[in-house]
Amino acid sequence: GDGFSMCEDSFGDDLVAIDWGDEGDCYCQHDCECMEDVGDSEDTYLITRDSAVAALPHECGPGEGENADEDEDGDEDEECCVHHTYWADGSLAGTTCPQCCSPFDASTMSSIGNAGCTGYSDAGEVAPPFLDCRQEAIDAGSCGTGHICATCADYGVPTGQYWSFVGYASCPDWVVDALYEDAEDGGNCESHLDEDGDEDDWTDGPAG
C-alpha cells in the first residue's frame, strides 16, 4: 500500500522490489539479484514488481548482496578520486584508477598535480578534462590540461571522448564495483587494488 507507493514515487521505473515489515516499515530496492537472510525473519516479506522480476532470485552467496560492494577496507565509505571517461554528450564510457596512485589514498589529490581531482562531493566533483578528444577541442588545438591533441590519435582515443578525474566524498557502490572490475581486467586499478598487482605494471595508455 503506502510503502509501495512511497518507493514508487522515489524510484519510479527503477523500483523492482520492496522489503515490507509487519509494522509497516519498508525498504525500497532498485535491483533484486539475490536474496539475503532467507528464513531468518518471520515478519519481513519481499514484494517484487512483476515486470521487473520474472522469478525470485537465488539466495545470496559470499560476495553477493548488501555487502557485495564492500572490500575489507570499506572503500565504499571513503573518499575516492577516480578517472572517468565520458562521451561528448556527458554519458559515462568507463571508469579506472589514476595511474599514479590508489583512488582511496588521501594523497591522490596532490599526487596527480594540476590535472587531478579538484575536490570531493557526494555527486562527484568533475575536474577539467586532462585529455579532451572532442572535435571542438581538437579544432581549437587545446586537448585537455595534461596532453597535446596528437595524444588522441597516438593512443586511438575515439573522437568525442574526454577523460576527467572525479572526486567523490563517499565513493558510490557502483564506482567501487567498476574499479575492482577494472583491476580484474588488468586495467590501471590492478596495481592498486589487486594484492598481487605490481605497482610498476602500468597499462599502455596516456598518463592519467
Side-chain angles (χ1 to χ4, degrees):
D2 292 342
F4 189 90
S5 298
M6 219 165 38
C7 288
E8 195 170 37
D9 288 343
S10 299
F11 288 85
D13 291 337
D14 290 332
L15 177 69
V16 300
I18 65 171
D19 289 331
W20 179 77
D22 279 344
E23 296 181 5
D25 54 315
C26 59
Y27 180 77
C28 314
Q29 300 188 52
H30 58 78
D31 64 39
C32 191
E33 298 177 355
C34 64
M35 295 190 295
E36 290 185 314
D37 304 324
V38 177
D40 291 347
S41 177
E42 296 180 357
D43 58 359
T44 300
Y45 305 90
L46 175 67
I47 302 173
T48 63
R49 174 179 267 174
D50 291 342
S51 60
V53 182
L56 290 179
H58 62 280
E59 186 172 356
C60 298
E64 294 183 293
E66 187 175 85
N67 297 319
D69 300 322
E70 297 179 9
D71 70 313
E72 293 179 355
D73 298 322
D75 291 334
E76 75 292 340
D77 295 325
E78 299 180 23
E79 295 176 342
C80 65
C81 177
V82 303
H83 164 179
H84 281 327
T85 299
Y86 296 97
W87 289 107
D89 63 2
S91 60
L92 190 66
T95 299
T96 186
C97 299
Q99 283 195 349
C100 69
C101 27
S102 167
F104 305 108
D105 189 335
S107 66
T108 300
M109 284 274 289
S110 57
S111 298
I112 302 174
N114 292 332
C117 287
T118 55
Y120 297 115
S121 71
D122 289 336
E125 186 75 21
V126 183
F130 66 87
L131 177 64
D132 192 342
C133 298
R134 288 174 289 188
Q135 190 61 55
E136 58 267 30
I138 295 173
D139 292 343
S142 178
C143 293
T145 58
H147 297 284
I148 60 175
C149 290
T151 305
C152 297
D154 289 346
Y155 289 96
V157 180
T159 300
Q161 277 193 359
Y162 64 96
W163 300 1
S164 291
F165 291 110
V166 180
Y168 292 94
S170 181
C171 207
D173 291 344
W174 68 268
V175 173
V176 175
D177 281 346
L179 296 175
Y180 278 91
E181 184 175 341
D182 180 80
E184 291 176 5
D185 292 342
N188 284 357
C189 295
E190 182 179 27
S191 57
H192 303 304
L193 304 183
D194 185 340
E195 63 184 6
D196 296 322
D198 182 350
E199 287 291 341
D200 296 320
D201 187 16
W202 302 121
T203 57
D204 183 19

